[in-house]
Amino acid sequence: MTILELRAVHRVHGAGQTAVHALRGVTLTVGAGELLAVMGASGSGKSTLLNLAGGLDRPTEGDVVVNGTVLGGCSRRGLAALRRQRIGYVFQDLNLLSSLTAAENVALPLELDGMKVRTARRLAQEALCEMDLEGYGPRFPDEMSGGQQQRVAIARALVGQRRLMLADEPTGALDSQTGEAVLRLLRSKVDSGAAVVLVTHEARHAAWADRVVFLRDGLIVDTSGPMDQPEELLTTPGGAE
Amino acid sequence: MYGYQLRATFEESTGGTWPLNIGQVYTTLSRLERDELVRPLAESGTGQLPYEITDSGRAELAMWFATPLSHGDRPRDELAIKLALALSTPGVDVSVVVQAQRAATIRKMQEYTRLKYSTDRPADLAWKLVVDAMVFQAEAEVRWLDHCEASLLRHSSPPMPKKTPGSAHEAENEAGREATR
Ligand SMILES: Nc1ncnc2c1ncn2[C@@H]1O[C@H](COP(=O)(O)OP(=O)(O)OP(=O)(O)O)[C@@H](O)[C@H]1O
Ligand SMILES: [Mg+2]
C-alpha cells in the first residue's frame, strides 16, 4: 500500500533573479513497511523534499499525495488535521517542549486533535515503551540524555494512527551505539507497517533502508535498492552533457 | 604513445602514488597487444615503438570505468587510481564514476546491515563485530567519495552558466562557496 507519493514535484524558492530551483521534478513513492533513505550533498534539496512530503510547504508544481489525499487540494484546516493524524515529523533539533514531560510531549498531538487526555496519555505511554523508554514518561527533556530525547521525538512522531514518519537527520548528535539503537527501533516500526523517510548524510544509517535515493541539485540521480543496472558512463567527447 | 610517455602520463595523473618500472609497462603493453586491446604503430625515426588503443581496448576501458569494484581482496588504491585516471580521461564523467561506486558500496552496506539485523543471538557478538568492521570500512569509503565529490565541485565550474575562458576564476569562486556551505 502506497503511503506517500511525490509526482513530478518542483519547488522554486523565491522568484526572478534570486530564484532557487530546490527540486526539479522529483517522483517517488513510499509504501507501508518501507524505509526510504534520502542522501545528497548539502543544498541538494533533502529538507525541501521532506517539508513538502509533510505538508509543511507546498510544491510550485506537481503533487504530493499522503494516504491517497492530494495535499494541494486540502484546506488549511484539513491539511493541519491530516498532519496531526497521519504524519509524524522528527526535526533535526527535535523540537521537544521543555516545559512538558516526555509523556506530555508525546501525547500533545493527540490532545490537540481532541482526544481525551487519559486516552492520549495511555497511547503516549505505549509509544514510549516501544522506544525502550518505559519509566521515562514523567521526566522533562533536560533530565534525559540526547539519545533518550531523540527517542521521545520519534515516539511523538509515531504515536496514535500515524503511519508516515519523516525524519531529518534524526541521529544528528548521537554516538554510534545510540544512533544504531534508534535505527533498530525505526526498522522495527517499519517492519510492523509504518512508512519512514529518513534524511541522513551517514551511509551507515542509510544502510538500514530498503531503498536509498540520491539527490543532486534537486533531482534524484540514483537509487540504491534491489539491484539496478550499471549506467552509461562514457559519453562521447564533446557530446551533450 | 610509447612506453616512457605512458609511464610519465600515468604517474602524472596519479600524483606519483603508484610508481611504475618501465619493464612492467612493456610487459603490460605486450599482453595488451596479445589480447588485441592495443596495436603497435610504425616505429618512429628515433626508434620508439608507439602503440594505439583499439576499439576493443576502448570498450574494455569503458567497462572498467563502468564496473564498480567489489569489496573483496581488492587493493583500496585501485579506487583512488580509478578516480585519478577518470579525471584525466576525456569523455569520462568523474561524478558518475563516484556515484556508481557510492551506490554500489551503500548497497553492500545494506546487505551487511540486513544480515546483522536478522540475527539477534547474543552469542553472535563476535560475528557482529566482524560485520561492523566491514560496515565501517565501507562507510569510510563513502565519506571519502563524498569528499572527492566536494573537491570536484570546487575545481570545476558549475554546470549551468557554461564556462567561458574569461569567467573561469569567477566560476571557481562560486563553486567554492557552494561546497563550503
Ligand atoms: N526558504 C528558502 N528560501 C530560499 N532558498 C531556500 C529556502 N529553503 C531552501 N532554499 C535553498 O534550496 C536549496 C535546497 O535546500 P535544502 O534545505 O532542501 O537542502 P538540504 O539538502 O536539506 O541541505 P542540508 O544538507 O544542508 O540540510 C538550497 O540551495 C537552499 O539554499
Ligand atoms: Mg537539510
Side-chain angles (χ1 to χ4, degrees):
Chain A
M1 186 179 54
T2 300
I3 302 278
L4 170 69
E5 191 177 350
L6 269 64
R7 297 181 190 146
V9 165
H10 288 253
R11 179 64 170 102
V12 183
H13 294 293
Q17 280 278 303
T18 58
V20 179
H21 214 141
L23 292 181
R24 306 166 181 267
V26 168
T27 295
L28 61 81
T29 60
V30 189
E34 188 173 24
L35 173 52
L36 176 82
V38 180
M39 299 191 81
S42 184
S44 56
K46 305 182 296 294
S47 295
T48 303
L49 187 156
L50 218 57
N51 289 340
L52 290 168
L56 302 171
D57 186 15
R58 286 174 187 264
T60 313
E61 211 181 291
D63 283 323
V64 178
V65 188
V66 176
N67 272 330
T69 306
V70 181
L71 299 192
C74 291
S75 62
R76 273 180 96 89
R77 191 179 287 272
L79 188 60
L82 186 79
R83 277 211 308 262
R84 281 197 308 272
Q85 293 160 7
R86 301 280 174 214
I87 308 170
Y89 209 107
V90 181
F91 297 90
Q92 182 154 15
D93 60 2
L94 301 184
N95 245 0
L96 295 177
L97 298 175
S98 58
S99 57
L100 300 183
T101 64
E104 288 165 351
N105 264 289
V106 175
L108 188 64
L110 301 177
E111 289 174 27
L112 282 177
D113 215 35
M115 188 181 278
K116 279 214 288 267
V117 174
R118 278 175 64 113
T119 324
R121 291 292 160 87
R122 185 174 49 75
L123 290 175
Q125 206 52 53
E126 283 172 18
L128 285 170
C129 282
E130 276 183 61
M131 290 291 124
D132 271 352
L133 287 173
E134 194 169 6
Y136 284 83
R139 293 226 205 165
F140 288 93
D142 64 3
E143 297 168 341
M144 291 187 284
S145 75
Q148 289 160 349
Q149 291 180 38
Q150 209 102 30
R151 282 179 281 154
V152 173
I154 293 172
R156 182 184 54 184
L158 283 170
V159 74
Q161 298 300 306
R162 287 178 293 178
R163 305 317 272 153
L164 174 61
M165 191 182 115
L166 308 167
D168 202 345
E169 300 275 6
T171 48
L174 301 181
D175 66 50
S176 66
Q177 283 296 328
T178 320
E180 176 165 333
V182 167
L183 264 305
R184 206 170 260 279
L185 286 166
L186 272 187
R187 185 71 245 181
S188 68
K189 277 308 261 187
V190 167
D191 291 342
S192 56
V196 173
V197 182
L198 168 72
V199 165
T200 181
H201 65 271
E202 298 210 52
R204 207 157 26 84
H205 295 153
W208 286 83
D210 299 293
R211 236 170 354 124
V212 184
V213 301
F214 297 89
L215 275 185
R216 182 157 72 215
D217 295 332
L219 274 174
I220 294 180
V221 292
D222 206 351
T223 301
S224 156
M227 216 40 210
D228 33 47
Q229 292 296 309
E231 290 176 53
E232 195 66 45
L233 284 181
L234 285 176
T235 56
T236 42
E241 282 231 329
Chain B
M1 244 193 230
Y2 50 89
Y4 277 97
Q5 277 180 323
L6 269 175
R7 181 174 72 169
T9 311
F10 180 87
E11 291 190 349
E12 197 187 335
S13 50
T14 55
T17 50
W18 190 345
L20 299 178
N21 81 45
I22 195 68
Q24 224 178 326
V25 175
Y26 283 117
T27 354
T28 307
L29 275 173
S30 54
R31 279 201 209 123
L32 290 172
E33 187 187 342
R34 178 199 64 198
D35 298 342
E36 297 179 338
L37 302 175
V38 301
R39 111 180 108 241
L41 300 174
E43 198 169 307
S44 72
T46 51
Q48 321 276 20
L49 184 60
Y51 285 85
E52 160 181 271
I53 192 166
T54 62
D55 283 344
S56 57
R58 241 179 276 279
E60 183 78 16
L61 180 64
M63 263 319 277
W64 183 65
F65 277 121
T67 313
L69 300 177
S70 71
H71 284 265
D73 48 1
R74 74 154 201 255
R76 158 65 70 82
D77 275 354
E78 186 181 347
L79 180 54
I81 298 295
K82 184 192 254 194
L83 291 193
L85 292 179
L87 261 177
S88 52
T89 308
V92 174
D93 183 343
V94 197
S95 63
V96 175
V97 177
V98 168
Q99 177 53 34
Q101 185 66 45
R102 178 164 37 215
T105 304
I106 289 182
R107 202 176 301 126
K108 204 78 212 163
M109 293 174 76
Q110 286 175 280
E111 284 170 27
Y112 295 146
T113 306
R114 220 162 284 148
L115 208 64
K116 201 168 69 165
Y117 182 62
S118 61
T119 43
D120 222 1
R121 289 166 291 171
D124 288 338
L125 183 59
W127 174 82
K128 252 182 206 161
L129 289 182
V130 173
V131 178
D132 271 338
M134 296 192 283
V135 170
F136 276 82
Q137 217 171 350
E139 183 187 36
E141 183 182 293
V142 172
R143 291 176 67 161
W144 177 70
L145 287 168
D146 290 345
H147 173 80
C148 289
E149 189 167 66
S151 308
L152 281 173
L153 215 70
R154 199 155 3 111
H155 289 292
S156 60
S157 63
M160 281 317 275
K162 270 280 183 230
K163 186 155 126 190
T164 56
S167 69
H169 188 67
E170 206 178 285
E172 193 166 332
N173 279 344
E174 220 168 87
R177 264 205 310 280
E178 186 84 10
T180 50
R181 254 199 336 220

